[in-house]
Each structure stands twice: as structure tokens, then as C-alpha cells.
Amino acid sequence: MTSSAAPHTAPDEQPGTGLRIDAERNRDRILAAARRLYAREGLGVSMAAVAREAGVGKATLSRRFATREELISAVFADRMDGYAAAVATALADPDPWHGFTGYVQAVCAMQAADRGFADVLTMTFPAAKALEERRSKAYHGFLELITRAKDTGHLREDFTDRDMPILLMANAGVVNAAGDAAPDAWQRLVAHMLRSYATPGAPLPPMPEPPAPAALYRAMVRLARPSAEYISESR
């Protein structure tokens, strides 16, 4: 005897229609929750924490994003598009040196605006194909930008593409350490680094003011607090 029942489908799917409206809403809630947590705390946030923040169960999260890499790729897809667009904008600048300095500032500003993205730019995710494809596109554009900037005579010949990840790691450290206490401290770091990349006499953006002494002190206290808490807990 045959049955007229519909074939088995996942709880949040319907035959022929893909995701149901409530499943789409769950996906949006998960992405919004992950963006908030990653921006605030970085990529160390657990999948369980994302599920709690989104108000969904772990099973629902797993149906939408089977792995951490899939979730990260979805959350930062637009950021990586912006990252690639920054290279395109720099390459379109009629002054390649100005394009280079503008690109460095733009990417470091992206890091400062989102702690999670700061982590993404200094890590690789081989399983997140779409994310890495965007990164690869941006990287090859940056190589061209370096060549053009050197041709102006303003970018030092010993600058290499490997110097950019070093800057991004340093900038991520400043962003994470300074936090809300000295949120613009990264601008001072980037300005100093651009001066180290430039040949003598190259035009440079103005040097930003350093953080106020009180702000820098608060940042240093903030940075020391986790270590102090760890020592206290280990006694």
C-alpha cells in the first residue's frame, strides 16, 4: 500500500520552497547575533554563545551553519566585499601613492570598527571558500598597488606585501588593547607606519594627535585587568 504523505523534510524546510519564512528569520537572527558578538568580543565566541544570543537552539544553528567557518564566512561576506572594494578604489586613484596610503588607512579603519573583522584579516579559513576567494582577489589587487606606488618613488623599495599582515596584526593588537578607553589610538600607529614605508620627502597624511594621557592610562589598566584576574583566580 502506498502512502500519500509528503517526503520527509527538515523541520524548517518545505518541499519546493526551500527555507520557510521562520527559518529565514532564524538565519537572520543568527547572523545578527554573531555580528554583535564578533564585533564586541572577537572570533573566540563559541557557537553555543551565538545560539544563545540569537535565541535559537544549537540544532537550529547547526542546520543553518554546520561549521564555525561557514558562519564566519556568512557574517563577514559584506566586510570582505568592502575589503576588496578598498583595493579597487585605491587602484582607481590617479595618484598611486595616495591610493596606497588611503588603502592602508581604510583597511585599518575597518579593523577598528569591528573587532571580529580585525581577527578575520589576520587569520585564514581554508574551509570558507567564498571568504578566501575574496581575500585572494584583494591580495592580488594589493600587489599591483604596491608596484604602482613604488613606481612613484614614494614607497620604499624594501616594502613587501608581507608588511601589510604585520601592520594588521599590530593594529588588531592596538584596537583590542585600547578598546573604548582610547578608540582612536590605532590612527597614531598607522600614521607612524606609513612614515616608515615612505621614502624621504614623500607626501603623507597629517599625523593624528596621540591619545590623551588619561585615556591611555585607562587603556593600560584595561589591558592589565585580565592578567590580574587570572593571578587572583590561580591563588
Side-chain angles (χ1 to χ4, degrees):
M1 184 172 66
T2 61
S3 172
S4 60
H8 173 73
T9 58
D12 55 2
E13 294 181 355
Q14 288 182 340
T17 62
L19 295 176
R20 296 187 311 186
I21 292 176
D22 62 335
E24 292 175 351
R25 287 173 179 165
N26 280 341
R27 186 178 190 277
D28 291 343
R29 289 167 63 187
I30 291 167
L31 289 175
R35 286 191 184 99
R36 288 194 299 271
L37 290 176
Y38 290 154
R40 187 168 67 237
E41 303 176 28
L43 298 187
V45 174
S46 69
M47 295 287 274
V50 172
R52 286 194 300 273
E53 178 78 8
V56 302
K58 293 181 181 179
T60 298
L61 175 60
S62 296
R63 280 195 298 272
R64 300 280 63 82
F65 303 100
T67 66
R68 172 175 172 267
E69 286 75 15
E70 285 184 17
L71 178 59
I72 290 172
S73 182
V75 167
F76 293 105
D78 58 340
R79 305 290 199 283
M80 288 303 289
D81 285 342
Y83 180 51
V87 177
T89 298
L91 289 171
D93 194 316
D95 180 348
W97 170 244
H98 182 265
F100 174 85
T101 59
Y103 168 77
V104 171
Q105 290 175 311
V107 173
C108 289
M110 290 178 193
Q111 279 192 305
D114 189 324
R115 182 175 174 181
F117 192 57
D119 291 342
V120 167
L121 288 179
T122 56
M123 301 168 68
T124 58
F125 304 90
K129 302 294 185 185
L131 194 70
E132 292 306 316
E133 285 174 5
R134 291 178 174 87
R135 190 198 305 276
S136 178
K137 180 180 179 180
Y139 170 72
H140 286 95
F142 183 54
L143 290 180
E144 183 178 352
L145 183 62
I146 291 173
T147 299
R148 292 186 186 183
K150 285 183 177 180
D151 287 344
T152 68
H154 296 320
L155 180 61
R156 287 173 47 157
E157 284 297 326
D158 57 357
F159 180 89
T160 79
D161 58 292
R162 286 161 290 177
D163 288 314
M164 191 64 187
I166 294 172
L167 170 58
L168 292 176
M169 286 187 282
N171 193 50
V174 171
V175 169
N176 292 337
D180 294 336
D184 297 329
W186 66 272
Q187 296 179 12
R188 185 82 173 179
L189 168 70
V190 173
H192 277 301
M193 294 307 297
L194 285 175
R195 280 156 176 73
S196 74
Y197 302 153
T199 58
L204 287 161
M207 174 66 76
E209 290 295 321
L216 192 57
Y217 176 77
R218 287 195 300 272
M220 295 170 68
V221 169
R222 177 182 178 276
L223 183 60
R225 188 173 296 127
S227 297
E229 290 173 355
Y230 173 79
I231 292 171
S232 177
E233 290 173 359
S234 64
R235 285 177 178 172

